[in-house]
């Protein structure tokens, strides 16, 4: 490691940002770089303004936040999501009856696949990809079923200045076709004639924090436009490897009735399907976002 990276200290020096104390919530960080459990919030009830401001801040500071022991109806889960914007409807996945914005997350002994098994940012193939996702897991396997999250600001900031300059202004194609066609057939979902496809900057600027983050992922990104295909493949492979570096990650061990809320604009995630033949299930509410720039 030291030969590859030199002997000049850590490859990434995390800036902890605003350290002023929270007043209405308690924060328990998973790592210095990403992830925090939030205590003192009941997501089933209307959230007072001051506490909502602190939840926004906790999300901006930690990129993914977790709430344990929440008891939410579908309406309460949806209402919590609406505090952050309009809700997104998934272009392919099944949803709860009567609630198109409530995506079903489930894998059991008969599943041919589980949601989110590869590193991705949710629905990055949309022209305006989701800002955030709020996953509520109701049933956990006895062991496993963790979700991993990676800080894509940190991955960007760890790049050399030369690499940052090279990536500046590059555009990548994202396509939902391979990810979605036939994927939910076993659940009775008919394929759509076409799935979303979009072009986004390889490096996007977060509209709230103003920080830059890598915005290409194995799940949806097909190629970088305007450069030779082999060069695109090599660069993408390098950028994907950064999301997969544990230095930039946290790993959440679910308990029943826990909630994870992540910011898709600066986070990639991956769900572990290591618990077959057991069942893991819940629901995801996804918040609409804006066009990356
Ligand atoms: C997903 O939203 O990609 C699924 C994540 C999970 O099930 O942990």
């Amino acid at each position: 490691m030291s030969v590859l990276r030199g002997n000049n200290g850590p490859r990434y020096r995390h800036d902890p940002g605003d350290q002023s104390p929270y007043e209405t919530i308690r924060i328990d960080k998973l790592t210095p770089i990403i992830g925090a459990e939030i205590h003192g919030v009941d997501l089933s009830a209307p959230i007072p303004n001051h506490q909502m401001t602190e939840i926004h801040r906790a999300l901006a500071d930690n990129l993914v936040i977790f709430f344990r022991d929440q008891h939410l109806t579908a309406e309460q889960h949806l209402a919590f999501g609406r505090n952050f914007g309009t809700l997104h409807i998934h272009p392919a996945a099944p949803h709860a009856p009567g609630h198109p914005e409530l995506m079903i997350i489930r894998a059991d002994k008969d599943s041919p696949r589980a949601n989110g098994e590869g590193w991705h940012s949710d629905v990055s193939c949309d022209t305006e990809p989701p800002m955030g996702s709020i996953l509520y897991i109701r049933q956990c396997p006895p062991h496993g079923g963790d979700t991993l999250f990676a800080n894509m600001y940190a991955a960007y900031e760890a790049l050399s200045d030369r690499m940052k300059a090279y990536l500046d202004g590059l555009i990548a194609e994202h396509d939902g076709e391979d990810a979605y066609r036939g994927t939910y057939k076993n659940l009775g979902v008919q394929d759509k004639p076409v799935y979303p496809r979009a072009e986004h900057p390889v490096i996007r600027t977060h509209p709230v924090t103003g920080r830059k983050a890598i915005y290409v992922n194995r799940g949806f990104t097909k190629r970088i436009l305007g450069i030779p295909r082999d060069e695109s493949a090599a660069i993408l492979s390098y950028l994907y490897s950064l999301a997969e570096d544990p230095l930039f990650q946290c790993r959440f061990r679910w308990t029943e009735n826990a909630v994870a809320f992540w910011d898709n604009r600066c986070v990639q995630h991956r769900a572990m399907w290591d618990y077959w033949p057991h069942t893991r299930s819940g629901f995801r509410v996804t918040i609409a976002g804006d066009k990356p720039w």
Side-chain angles (χ1 to χ4, degrees):
M1 199 71 99
S2 60
V3 174
L4 284 175
R5 294 186 179 152
N7 291 314
N8 298 318
R11 183 165 59 120
Y12 176 66
R13 289 170 196 254
H14 182 65
D15 172 0
D18 180 2
Q19 292 290 285
S20 53
Y22 288 85
E23 288 171 2
T24 65
I25 56 179
R26 187 166 66 77
I27 305 281
D28 194 4
K29 280 182 174 286
L30 271 71
T31 78
I33 290 174
I34 180 168
E37 282 197 34
I38 309 295
H39 302 272
V41 185
D42 175 2
L43 300 182
S44 70
I47 297 178
N49 286 345
H50 188 34
Q51 193 169 54
M52 188 55 75
T53 304
E54 294 208 319
I55 291 172
H56 274 281
R57 183 182 146 207
L59 182 67
D61 286 352
N62 298 286
L63 287 54
V64 53
I65 51 180
F66 306 100
F67 306 83
R68 294 207 190 260
D69 301 318
Q70 301 292 326
H71 295 276
L72 302 178
T73 62
E75 285 75 14
Q76 288 164 341
H77 188 181
L78 292 161
F80 178 60
R82 286 194 189 100
N83 285 310
F84 300 91
T86 309
L87 300 184
H88 171 271
I89 296 180
H90 197 279
H95 57 77
H99 293 298
E101 313 96 331
L102 201 60
M103 175 178 166
I104 296 172
I105 300 282
R106 182 184 172 91
D108 58 32
K109 68 176 177 21
D110 300 319
S111 301
R113 58 180 294 282
N115 291 91
E117 280 181 83
W119 282 101
H120 67 288
S121 171
D122 287 327
V123 202
S124 71
C125 54
D126 267 357
T127 308
E128 296 184 346
M131 161 259 154
S133 302
I134 303 171
L135 177 60
Y136 179 37
I137 290 291
R138 303 288 304 277
Q139 183 178 358
C140 286
H143 304 284
D146 298 353
T147 310
L148 283 70
F149 297 89
N151 178 336
M152 302 315 295
Y153 295 135
Y156 172 76
E157 287 157 11
L159 295 171
S160 69
D161 288 343
R162 279 178 183 271
M163 181 57 94
K164 286 178 185 159
Y166 171 81
L167 296 174
D168 185 35
L170 288 178
I171 303 291
E173 177 191 5
H174 297 236
D175 197 335
E177 179 68 26
D178 293 345
Y180 297 142
R181 186 159 303 281
T183 295
Y184 299 103
K185 201 169 160 190
N186 66 305
L187 300 172
V189 178
Q190 296 274 323
D191 270 324
K192 300 243 176 80
V194 286
Y195 287 106
R197 184 197 156 276
E199 293 175 5
H200 299 308
V202 171
I203 307 300
R204 74 178 291 184
T205 303
H206 193 288
V208 177
T209 65
R211 292 173 71 188
K212 290 184 177 181
I214 295 174
Y215 196 66
V216 288
N217 66 84
R218 274 195 202 281
F220 296 104
T221 310
K222 295 297 163 202
R223 65 191 173 112
I224 300 174
L225 304 175
I227 61 174
R229 280 192 181 261
D230 55 352
E231 184 175 326
S232 161
I235 295 291
L236 287 176
S237 167
Y238 174 62
L239 297 177
Y240 298 157
S241 76
L242 296 174
E244 292 156 8
D245 185 334
L247 177 62
F248 305 122
Q249 295 174 5
C250 71
R251 179 172 181 140
F252 185 62
R253 179 169 288 185
W254 289 92
T255 44
E256 285 180 356
N257 302 310
V259 171
F261 180 6
W262 60 87
D263 185 332
N264 283 301
R265 300 167 295 189
C266 53
V267 171
Q268 290 189 33
H269 60 285
R270 179 191 165 167
M272 297 302 296
W273 193 22
D274 53 0
Y275 48 87
W276 186 91
H278 297 285
T279 300
R280 176 180 182 274
S281 72
F283 297 98
R284 192 180 90 192
V285 167
T286 310
I287 303 149
D290 45 16
K291 191 164 168 45
W293 48 277

